[in-house]
CSV table of all heavy atoms in Angstrom, one decimal:
chain,number,residue,atom,x,y,z
A,180,CYS,N,113.3,127.7,99.2
A,180,CYS,CA,114.4,126.9,98.5
A,180,CYS,C,113.9,125.9,97.5
A,180,CYS,O,114.5,125.6,96.5
A,180,CYS,CB,115.2,126.3,99.6
A,180,CYS,SG,116.0,127.5,100.7
A,181,ALA,N,112.8,125.2,97.9
A,181,ALA,CA,112.4,124.1,97.1
A,181,ALA,C,111.0,124.2,96.6
A,181,ALA,O,110.3,123.2,96.2
A,181,ALA,CB,112.4,122.8,98.0
A,182,GLY,N,110.5,125.4,96.5
A,182,GLY,CA,109.1,125.6,96.0
A,182,GLY,C,108.8,125.1,94.6
A,182,GLY,O,107.8,124.6,94.3
A,183,LYS,N,109.9,125.2,93.8
A,183,LYS,CA,109.7,124.8,92.4
A,183,LYS,C,109.6,123.2,92.3
A,183,LYS,O,109.3,122.7,91.2
A,183,LYS,CB,110.8,125.3,91.5
A,183,LYS,CG,110.9,126.8,91.4
A,183,LYS,CD,111.9,127.2,90.4
A,183,LYS,CE,112.0,128.7,90.3
A,183,LYS,NZ,112.5,129.4,91.5
A,184,THR,N,109.9,122.5,93.3
A,184,THR,CA,109.7,121.1,93.3
A,184,THR,C,108.3,120.6,93.5
A,184,THR,O,108.0,119.4,93.4
A,184,THR,CB,110.6,120.4,94.3
A,184,THR,OG1,110.2,120.7,95.6
A,184,THR,CG2,112.1,120.8,94.1
A,185,PHE,N,107.4,121.6,93.8
A,185,PHE,CA,106.0,121.2,94.0
A,185,PHE,C,105.2,121.6,92.8
A,185,PHE,O,105.5,122.5,92.0
A,185,PHE,CB,105.4,122.0,95.2
A,185,PHE,CG,106.0,121.7,96.5
A,185,PHE,CD1,107.1,122.3,97.0
A,185,PHE,CD2,105.4,120.7,97.3
A,185,PHE,CE1,107.7,121.9,98.3
A,185,PHE,CE2,106.0,120.3,98.5
A,185,PHE,CZ,107.1,120.9,99.0
A,186,PRO,N,104.1,120.9,92.6
A,186,PRO,CA,103.2,121.3,91.5
A,186,PRO,C,102.7,122.7,91.6
A,186,PRO,O,102.6,123.2,92.8
A,186,PRO,CB,102.0,120.3,91.6
A,186,PRO,CG,102.6,119.1,92.3
A,186,PRO,CD,103.6,119.6,93.2
A,187,SER,N,102.5,123.4,90.6
A,187,SER,CA,102.2,124.8,90.6
A,187,SER,C,101.0,125.1,91.5
A,187,SER,O,101.0,126.1,92.2
A,187,SER,CB,101.9,125.4,89.2
A,187,SER,OG,100.9,124.7,88.6
A,188,ASN,N,99.9,124.3,91.4
A,188,ASN,CA,98.8,124.6,92.3
A,188,ASN,C,99.1,124.4,93.8
A,188,ASN,O,98.5,125.1,94.6
A,188,ASN,CB,97.6,123.7,91.9
A,188,ASN,CG,97.8,122.2,92.3
A,188,ASN,OD1,98.8,121.6,92.0
A,188,ASN,ND2,96.8,121.7,93.1
A,189,ILE,N,100.0,123.5,94.1
A,189,ILE,CA,100.4,123.4,95.5
A,189,ILE,C,101.2,124.5,96.0
A,189,ILE,O,101.2,125.0,97.1
A,189,ILE,CB,101.0,122.0,95.7
A,189,ILE,CG1,100.0,120.9,95.5
A,189,ILE,CG2,101.7,121.9,97.1
A,189,ILE,CD1,100.5,119.5,95.7
A,190,ARG,N,102.1,125.0,95.1
A,190,ARG,CA,102.9,126.2,95.5
A,190,ARG,C,102.0,127.4,95.8
A,190,ARG,O,102.1,128.1,96.8
A,190,ARG,CB,103.8,126.6,94.3
A,190,ARG,CG,105.0,125.7,94.1
A,190,ARG,CD,106.1,126.4,93.3
A,190,ARG,NE,105.7,126.8,92.0
A,190,ARG,CZ,105.8,126.1,90.9
A,190,ARG,NH1,106.3,124.8,91.0
A,190,ARG,NH2,105.5,126.5,89.7
A,191,SER,N,101.0,127.6,95.0
A,191,SER,CA,100.0,128.7,95.2
A,191,SER,C,99.2,128.5,96.5
A,191,SER,O,99.0,129.4,97.3
A,191,SER,CB,99.1,128.9,94.0
A,191,SER,OG,99.7,129.1,92.9
A,192,TRP,N,98.8,127.2,96.7
A,192,TRP,CA,98.1,126.8,97.9
A,192,TRP,C,99.0,127.1,99.1
A,192,TRP,O,98.5,127.6,100.2
A,192,TRP,CB,97.7,125.4,97.8
A,192,TRP,CG,97.1,124.8,99.1
A,192,TRP,CD1,95.8,124.7,99.4
A,192,TRP,CD2,97.9,124.2,100.1
A,192,TRP,NE1,95.7,124.1,100.6
A,192,TRP,CE2,96.9,123.8,101.1
A,192,TRP,CE3,99.2,123.9,100.3
A,192,TRP,CZ2,97.3,123.1,102.3
A,192,TRP,CZ3,99.6,123.3,101.5
A,192,TRP,CH2,98.6,122.9,102.4
A,193,ALA,N,100.2,126.7,99.1
A,193,ALA,CA,101.1,126.9,100.2
A,193,ALA,C,101.3,128.3,100.6
A,193,ALA,O,101.3,128.7,101.8
A,193,ALA,CB,102.5,126.2,99.9
A,194,ARG,N,101.5,129.2,99.6
A,194,ARG,CA,101.6,130.6,99.9
A,194,ARG,C,100.4,131.2,100.6
A,194,ARG,O,100.5,131.9,101.5
A,194,ARG,CB,102.0,131.4,98.6
A,194,ARG,CG,103.4,131.1,98.1
A,194,ARG,CD,103.7,132.2,97.1
A,194,ARG,NE,102.9,132.1,95.9
A,194,ARG,CZ,103.3,131.4,94.8
A,194,ARG,NH1,104.4,130.7,94.8
A,194,ARG,NH2,102.5,131.4,93.7
A,195,ARG,N,99.2,130.8,100.1
A,195,ARG,CA,98.0,131.2,100.8
A,195,ARG,C,97.9,130.8,102.2
A,195,ARG,O,97.6,131.5,103.1
A,195,ARG,CB,96.8,130.8,100.0
A,195,ARG,CG,96.6,131.4,98.6
A,195,ARG,CD,95.2,131.1,98.1
A,195,ARG,NE,94.9,129.7,98.0
A,195,ARG,CZ,95.1,129.0,96.9
A,195,ARG,NH1,95.7,129.5,95.9
A,195,ARG,NH2,94.8,127.7,96.9
A,196,ASN,N,98.2,129.5,102.4
A,196,ASN,CA,98.1,129.0,103.8
A,196,ASN,C,99.2,129.5,104.7
A,196,ASN,O,99.0,129.7,105.9
A,196,ASN,CB,98.2,127.5,103.8
A,196,ASN,CG,96.8,126.8,103.4
A,196,ASN,OD1,96.1,126.5,104.3
A,196,ASN,ND2,96.5,126.7,102.1
Side-chain angles (χ1 to χ4, degrees):
C180 297
K183 293 186 181 70
T184 67
F185 292 91
S187 59
N188 73 305
I189 291 181
R190 287 201 298 271
S191 301
W192 171 91
R194 287 197 293 269
R195 292 195 302 271
N196 278 268

